[in-house]
Amino acid sequence: MKHLEDFLDLRFLSLKSLVPVLLLTSMFSITSCSKDDDEQVSPPVTYMEENPLAKYYENTGFTTVTNFVNSGDYEFGLVFSPSVKGKINSITVKIPDSNPNLRITIWDYTTKTVLRSEIVNVSASNTLITKNISELSLEKDKKYMITMNSNDWYKKSKSNNSNATYPVAAGNIQFWEYRWLSGTAQTFPTNISSDYNAGDLSFNFQQVN
């Protein structure tokens, strides 16, 4: 009987020493699961596209419109920067005449180099045309410019022809100035005017994470 008692005592001690190990293992497993749950990656947010032109006109007060058709060739457009990282998915244009070969250019404002050059078929006058492009990534707070080369445009200004106050906030886009240059060459415009905008030229912008 003495041997049996010793055997039972040893078995009890073995089970007793095993309990803390099992408890630690369970706690580690629970902690690991909890940690895994905490580290689950949320799906990326998909932001809506925005076209800043209407807000630009609203905030500048450029509500007086005059149509110019066959009025001399110019390279002209707006300097802008995004307040968030994003991309341009498409460009939009509306002019008071048709033009099957309207050239639109997106520039790096600092280096004055062409980032994208697109030909848009404006098949009908006074009609908003949208052209999808391969996405163009934009850096936060970096300046760009979008221009078109045309002899047709809408001149939009204030009723008293006074200057707009730049920069002009339009959603996630800041507009810094309007520039223009006479001629048909794809040349970075050097003239600046604050009392009107010649358009309508814009783009659809989408914020990215």
Side-chain angles (χ1 to χ4, degrees):
M1 292 296 291
K2 177 65 174 172
H3 293 298
L4 181 59
E5 289 175 1
D6 291 342
F7 172 75
L8 291 173
D9 287 342
L10 286 171
R11 188 173 181 184
F12 175 76
L13 288 172
S14 298
L15 289 172
K16 188 176 180 182
S17 62
L18 185 61
V19 169
V21 175
L22 291 172
L23 286 173
L24 285 171
T25 303
S26 299
M27 290 175 63
F28 178 77
S29 177
I30 292 170
T31 303
S32 297
C33 291
S34 176
K35 187 176 181 182
D36 290 342
D37 291 341
D38 291 342
E39 291 180 352
Q40 286 183 350
V41 179
S42 300
V45 177
T46 300
Y47 294 93
M48 296 289 291
E49 285 188 339
E50 54 185 296
N51 191 312
L53 190 62
K55 198 67 177 177
Y56 163 81
Y57 282 133
E58 177 185 336
N59 289 342
T60 54
F62 289 163
T63 56
T64 299
V65 183
T66 307
N67 291 5
F68 286 80
V69 177
N70 298 325
S71 298
D73 296 293
Y74 292 88
E75 186 82 23
F76 54 94
L78 289 164
V79 177
F80 67 93
S81 64
S83 57
V84 294
K85 183 181 177 182
K87 59 183 179 178
I88 291 177
N89 294 320
S90 55
I91 49 182
T92 63
V93 64
K94 180 181 177 182
I95 54 177
D97 198 4
S98 59
N99 185 343
N101 296 296
L102 181 68
R103 187 184 69 223
I104 294 175
T105 307
I106 301 175
W107 307 78
D108 182 305
Y109 179 84
T110 303
T111 63
K112 298 178 174 55
T113 54
V114 175
L115 297 176
R116 189 66 60 85
S117 185
E118 300 284 345
I119 299 298
V120 178
N121 178 15
V122 181
S123 54
S125 63
N126 302 305
T127 302
L128 183 67
I129 304 296
T130 300
K131 180 181 180 181
N132 294 326
I133 63 172
S134 56
E135 65 180 51
L136 177 63
S137 297
L138 303 182
E139 299 177 26
K140 178 180 181 294
D141 297 328
K142 180 177 173 62
K143 284 186 179 180
Y144 304 87
M145 182 166 61
I146 184 168
T147 63
M148 63 179 168
N149 194 278
S150 180
N151 59 11
D152 312 303
W153 63 87
Y154 306 104
K155 179 183 178 182
K156 296 191 176 182
S157 59
K158 295 184 182 183
S159 57
N160 61 2
N161 291 316
S162 63
N163 289 343
T165 301
Y166 286 88
V168 178
N172 284 314
I173 300 298
Q174 291 266 0
F175 289 103
W176 294 93
E177 57 196 15
Y178 164 77
R179 285 180 169 248
W180 58 275
L181 186 68
S182 178
T184 59
Q186 193 174 33
T187 305
F188 189 89
T190 52
N191 301 301
I192 301 173
S193 296
S194 298
D195 59 346
Y196 75 98
N197 178 68
D200 288 343
L201 173 65
S202 189
F203 53 87
N204 288 318
F205 173 80
Q206 185 176 28
Q207 181 180 350
V208 298
N209 293 320

